[in-house]
Amino acid sequence: MHDHIHHHHQGTENIKMAFFLNLVFTIIEVFGGIFTNSVAIVTDAVHDLGDTVTIGFSWYLEKISKKKRTKDFSYGYTRFSLLAAIININVLALGSVFVLKESIERLMSPEPCNLEGMMALGVLGVLFNGVAVLKLKKGHSENERVVMLHLLEDVLGWVAILIGAVVMYFVDVPILDPILSISIACYILYGASKNLKRTLSIFLQGVPKGVNMEMVTKMIKQEANVLDVHDVHLWSLDGDYNVLTAHIIVPEKTTMQDLAYLKKEIHTKLKEHKVPHATLEFELYKENCHLEAH
Ligand SMILES: [Zn+2]
Ligand SMILES: [Zn+2]
């Protein structure tokens, strides 16, 4: 999951509950996977361990984000969520490699699973995640929607395991278990690589997704009293809170009142374009800018 879950809407209590539920369920899965001898269930445990790590970090972040800015971290603790994403990607990648190795060995020499146990865990998994989906379906925030969609994927994973166990119960195809496991592991790795790409782009201060740099520059240029714009920098603290700095050239006759008005206009429009934090430097026409060429 869910680089998104750390957002600000969800109460600490909900996160705390989600963390412990996921942790307990992950432990049940690990032991259940060993008990039933099913690599598919162990693979799902890797996924849920990733979820638990993410939720644990959200919980921690929710606490420290209340501290806001400090003299050591002038932007506050928002960027710590990137650290959570990186740790989670590592957990998922290492876990997936481990279960892939196991699964490929099983593919060569399939072993029977305890199918009754697998079915029981499958039903438990569908119920556990299904109830959470239904609960979140009532919510309206973007965050709740994202988490809900993720849990829906989790339900589908459990449905696949359940169907696999039922099929193996009636037909003797023990190879189905490692096939399921490999599919789930590939899906985890695919998600992790997408997440890695996104996280690295934020780390490297890439222009945030969903903000058009050209359009933002053009929008500033179109304001009355703006002759030109240069040295525009656009990046994101955490993929959600976007930051911009820019140099804006104004006519020499511009008064401080004109500037105050212009600044307000630009900040309002930037907020509409998902840039809540902008720092603007005004320059007079023909003033020599120390940064102009850069
Ligand atoms: Zn999940
Ligand atoms: Zn300048």
Side-chain angles (χ1 to χ4, degrees):
M1 247 186 352
H2 331 174
D3 34 317
H4 307 276
I5 204 174
H6 63 267
H7 291 186
H8 335 281
H9 319 286
Q10 220 163 6
T12 314
E13 281 307 304
N14 279 343
I15 296 183
K16 194 170 143 186
M17 200 180 74
F19 172 76
F20 282 113
L21 282 176
N22 258 278
L23 184 64
V24 168
F25 201 65
T26 304
I27 294 167
I28 291 174
E29 268 179 289
V30 172
F31 285 106
I34 293 167
F35 170 73
T36 58
N37 201 27
S38 160
V39 274
I41 290 177
V42 174
T43 309
D44 217 81
V46 169
H47 167 96
D48 276 324
L49 181 63
D51 285 3
T52 308
V53 168
T54 307
I55 297 169
F57 254 102
S58 319
W59 183 22
Y60 176 65
L61 282 170
E62 194 84 6
K63 276 188 186 167
I64 63 167
S65 65
K66 290 198 179 91
K67 289 206 304 197
K68 291 282 181 192
R69 298 166 184 178
T70 65
K71 69 176 176 25
D72 292 322
F73 292 97
S74 68
Y75 277 105
Y77 288 84
T78 317
R79 278 216 132 193
F80 277 49
S81 64
L82 294 181
L83 191 63
I86 289 289
I87 289 174
N88 191 39
I89 289 162
N90 278 296
V91 167
L92 291 175
L94 287 174
S96 298
V97 168
F98 167 75
V99 290
L100 272 176
K101 184 183 154 284
E102 287 293 304
S103 306
I104 289 165
E105 279 165 19
R106 283 290 182 91
L107 214 51
M108 314 291 196
S109 51
E111 284 175 28
C113 304
N114 178 328
L115 297 170
E116 287 88 357
M118 259 184 102
M119 285 189 261
L121 279 168
V123 169
L124 198 66
V126 171
L127 282 180
F128 179 79
N129 289 290
V131 166
V133 168
L134 290 177
K135 238 187 125 184
L136 282 168
K137 236 184 162 172
K138 293 186 196 110
H140 298 290
S141 74
E142 171 66 14
N143 187 42
E144 283 168 309
R145 201 185 62 84
V146 168
V147 177
M148 200 267 287
L149 284 178
H150 175 91
L151 287 170
L152 204 58
E153 289 172 14
D154 290 7
V155 173
L156 292 180
W158 278 112
V159 169
I161 289 178
L162 190 55
I163 292 173
V166 171
V167 170
M168 284 188 284
Y169 190 80
F170 290 107
V171 193
D172 185 33
V173 275
I175 204 169
L176 207 54
D177 184 54
I179 289 173
L180 270 173
S181 167
I182 290 169
S183 316
I184 297 169
C186 288
Y187 191 72
I188 294 174
L189 284 173
Y190 167 72
S193 68
K194 261 197 345 197
N195 210 347
L196 180 66
K197 211 176 140 199
R198 180 182 173 278
T199 308
L200 280 183
S201 162
I202 301 168
F203 251 123
L204 298 172
Q205 292 188 298
V207 173
K209 293 270 169 294
V211 185
N212 187 330
M213 177 113 161
E214 250 171 78
M215 209 172 79
V216 166
T217 311
K218 211 170 132 192
M219 185 193 79
I220 299 174
K221 273 187 191 167
Q222 276 167 350
E223 288 293 320
N225 276 331
V226 174
L227 297 177
D228 206 2
V229 181
H230 62 261
D231 205 58
V232 182
H233 294 293
L234 189 49
W235 56 287
S236 186
L237 276 183
D238 62 345
D240 192 41
Y241 190 80
N242 302 326
V243 178
L244 174 139
T245 61
H247 289 201
I248 295 169
I249 302 180
V250 293
E252 278 168 281
K253 62 167 176 46
T254 311
T255 65
M256 285 306 278
Q257 276 80 9
D258 293 337
L259 270 191
Y261 178 79
L262 178 60
K263 234 189 310 190
K264 211 178 143 207
E265 283 285 295
I266 293 174
H267 280 301
T268 307
K269 288 203 172 152
L270 282 173
K271 274 184 190 128
E272 285 165 14
H273 283 78
K274 296 190 224 161
V275 183
H277 190 121
T279 308
L280 308 172
E281 181 164 327
F282 290 100
E283 290 163 18
L284 296 179
Y285 185 60
K286 280 182 181 162
E287 181 182 332
N288 251 338
C289 175
H290 69 121
L291 282 175
E292 184 139 37
H294 302 272

